[in-house]
């Protein structure tokens, strides 16, 4: 039976306010307060409801910016009704995780029913963790990665020179380098861009005032030449006056909206916990403070009965126990650093975080070795280059980590690090699509972009074969034991080493006798492993989170009498000549991977097979479609669950 949304959003008051009249009347103030309270209640409820179901999400950011959104929406209504201050009717936001705002606006504008919000981040419900234009009804722009929208909005302003363009910002997203470039262009071109910056002094891993001493978003923007005004954003009259002043001014303007994170939410206000989804208890505590406000009691009841989403099934050939490699990275690194003589640690190792330490395992290193840890903020390009600079000399290792999707932001810096012969151990977590409710903009699927080095002079030329030979290596282990062995083995290697992990937890790969295949096994760079070694009818090549699914497909094929092997190619960009000879003799080869089908291993592996003398049938499958939302089902949507992999192999068999 369909559930009824507990709040009546038809009570939202679609008021039109003239920005040339910056003083609120009592009735206007009451209307805005009503809308703010309603929208904050709704955001707390439906984001926490998703969290209670196991879908995670983000509550504090969209909750914070409700007053600005409500005011801008009222100014847009005035413009729509023929008022004299034209405004582009899109509330742009450079912090894509605040997507709850866009979904709420979609409902308020009639693009989808309120009940749809009960399916935030759910599989196939088209409400992913970041806004995607053309995917969700009513969503007018894609705004996934922090700090990427302001340059885009500059272009929108150029296309609509007679209209103001509003963009929500944050003190986190403003740390990205794109925003500095966007600021200079906006000022130089006098673009009519209006920034409303939520300056709540909270990002994922901490407080910018603590970890980024000297950074002040208002002073930074003023330094680029923008007119900047600062306001206490929970003072509705003061906020309204400043937004009106921005709307009616010529050229770019920034309003710095000061507030604590999640004001008025018990136990969350002012803390980093507000960045993520509010816990069920926190949401209930907030809704209880709202007393008899319409819908709150029903919302509390629904939160207590939120149905969990289905958990990922166990697959044949792998263990029931699972572990997160992304967290394991920190544990392994602590072991490695403990093995370095204490007087030498600070001169040989430096660890650079991009405000994701709790998600990439670096928090463990931070706790154990705070003097080796650099809280670099949301500055991937600069942090990577700093790690490379630290690792420029022999005997030094820069360690860098962020999400795999953001590897695409660092390509030029990677090239310069390579040319400087730097030593950097990179951990890129959240690879592929498994468990990625954040959806397409956060898919880490273009790993081979990092493999852009020139191979180096071959031995049969006049140049030294060792002269600037490319030492870039890409590793994507298939289970926790192999991951641990990999990190320990490659830590002391020279050059750029990229170790990838998933957001999802992985099981241990099992040998045919049921033992853990990689237990006690050393890791040797450049070596591929035959997990199942009878290639008579063909073989599947895989790695990462696809490996245990491919193993389940192999077990199903073997159960049907097919002699199909499985190779784990954790060393993505090197060739194991001995294994290639075995693969070349197989009648058919299928590469199954979570990387981009256009740029991943499979796009080049066929050529590698041909060079080895392969004459059989070949195909490769990978991520080929924009995301579907949800968690582990993302893999099945791409045809990368055991059933999909088995189907692709049977197709290869003809």
């Amino acid at each position: 039976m369909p559930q009824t949304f507990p709040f009546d959003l038809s009570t939202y008051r679609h008021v039109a306010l003239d920005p040339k009249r910056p003083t609120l009347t009592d009735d206007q103030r009451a209307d805005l307060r009503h809308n703010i309270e309603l929208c904050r209640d709704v955001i707390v409820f439906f984001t926490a409801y998703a969290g209670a179901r196991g879908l995670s999400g983000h509550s504090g950011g969209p909750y914070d910016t409700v007053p600005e959104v409500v005011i801008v929406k009222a100014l847009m209504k005035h413009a729509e009704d023929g008022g004299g201050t034209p405004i582009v009717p899109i509330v742009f936001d450079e912090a894509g995780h605040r997507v709850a705002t866009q979904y709420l606006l979609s409902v308020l504008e009639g693009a989808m029913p309120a009940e749809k919000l009960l399916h935030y981040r759910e599989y196939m419900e088209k409400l992913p963790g970041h806004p995607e234009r053309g995917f969700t009804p009513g969503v007018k722009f894609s705004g996934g990665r922090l700090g990427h929208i302001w340059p885009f909005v500059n272009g929108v302003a150029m296309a609509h020179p007679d209209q103001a363009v509003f963009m929500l910002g944050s003190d986190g997203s403003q740390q990205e380098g794109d925003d500095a470039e966007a600021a200079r262009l906006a000022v130089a071109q006098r673009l009519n861009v209006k920034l409303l910056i939520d300056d709540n002094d909270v990002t994922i891993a901490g407080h910018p005032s603590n970890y980024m001493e000297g950074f002040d978003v208002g002073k930074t923007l003023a330094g680029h030449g923008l007119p900047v005004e600062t306001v206490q954003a929970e003072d509705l009259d003061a906020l309204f006056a400043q937004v009106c002043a921005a709307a009616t001014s010529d050229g770019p303007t920034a309003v710095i909206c000061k507030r604590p994170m999640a004001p008025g939410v018990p136990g969350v206000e002012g803390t980093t916990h507000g960045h993520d989804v509010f816990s069920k208890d926190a949401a209930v505590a907030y809704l209880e403070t709202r007393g008899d406000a319409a819908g709150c009691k029903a919302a509390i009841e629904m939160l207590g009965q939120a149905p969990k989403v289905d958990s990922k099934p166990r697959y044949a050939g792998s263990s029931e126990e699972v572990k997160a490699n992304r967290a394991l990275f920190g544990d392994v690194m602590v072991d490695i650093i403990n093995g370095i003589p204490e007087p030498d640690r600070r001169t040989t190792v430096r660890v650079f975080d991009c405000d994701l330490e709790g998600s990439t395992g670096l928090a463990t290193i931070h706790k154990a070795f705070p003097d080796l840890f650099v809280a670099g903020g949301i500055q991937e390009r600069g942090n990577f280059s700093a790690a490379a600079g630290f690792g420029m000399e022999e005997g030094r290792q820069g360690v860098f980590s962020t999400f795999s999707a953001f590897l695409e932001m660092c390509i030029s810096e990677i090239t310069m690090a390579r040319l400087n012969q730097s030593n950097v151990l990179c951990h890129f977590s959240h690879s592929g699509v498994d468990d990625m409710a954040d959806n397409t903009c956060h898919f880490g699927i273009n790993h081979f972009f990092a493999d852009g080095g020139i191979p180096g002079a071959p031995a049969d030329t006049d140049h030294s074969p060792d002269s600037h030979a490319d030492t870039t290596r890409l590793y994507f282990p298939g289970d926790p034991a192999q991951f641990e062995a990999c990190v320990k083995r490659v830590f002391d290697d020279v050059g750029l080493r990229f170790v990838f992990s998933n957001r999802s937890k992985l099981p241990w790969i099992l040998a045919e006798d049921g033992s853990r295949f990689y237990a006690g096994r050393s890791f040797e760079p450049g070596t591929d492993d035959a997990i199942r070694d009878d290639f008579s009818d063909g073989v599947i090549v895989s790695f990462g989170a696809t490996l245990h699914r491919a193993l389940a497909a192999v077990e199903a094929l073997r159960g049907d009498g097919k002699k199909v092997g499985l190779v784990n190619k954790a060393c993505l960009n090197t060739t194991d000549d001995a294994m290639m000879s075995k693969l070349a003799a197989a009648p058919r080869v299928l590469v199954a991977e979570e990387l981009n089908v256009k740029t991943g291993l499979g796009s080049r592996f066929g050529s590698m097979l041909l060079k080895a003398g392969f004459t059989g049938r070949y195909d490769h499958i990978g991520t080929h479609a924009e995301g579907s939302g949800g968690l582990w089902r993302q893999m099945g949507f791409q045809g990368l669950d055991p059933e999909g992999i088995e189907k692709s192999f049977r197709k290869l068999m003809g």
Side-chain angles (χ1 to χ4, degrees), residues 432-445:
V433 304
D434 194 14
D435 264 12
M436 293 298 293
D438 283 343
N439 226 49
T440 309
C441 70
H442 271 48
F443 285 175
I445 56 176

Side-chain angles (χ1 to χ4, degrees), residues 5-12 34-50 58-59 62-63 66 100-101 103-105 107-108 113-118 120 278 283 286-287 290 294-296 299 303:
F5 198 72
F7 296 97
D8 183 2
L9 282 167
S10 69
T11 64
Y12 185 92
H34 168 83
N35 289 344
I36 290 168
E37 291 172 356
L38 174 63
C39 290
R40 280 184 164 172
D41 292 348
V42 168
I43 286 172
V44 168
F45 166 69
F46 84 82
T47 58
Y49 187 77
H58 297 276
S59 302
Y63 174 94
V66 163
T101 301
Y103 295 157
L104 177 54
L105 287 173
V107 172
L108 292 174
E115 283 71 23
K116 189 72 172 176
L117 299 177
L118 297 173
Y120 172 49
F278 292 166
Y286 164 80
L287 292 169
R290 298 282 294 120
C296 288
L303 283 168

Side-chain angles (χ1 to χ4, degrees), residues 89 144 160 177 193 219 267 340 359 505 508 547 553 560 603 619 635:
H160 301 276
V193 174
K219 290 180 179 178
I340 300 173
S359 297
K505 296 179 179 180
W508 277 258
L547 182 67
D560 193 34
S603 67
D619 199 3
M635 291 290 278

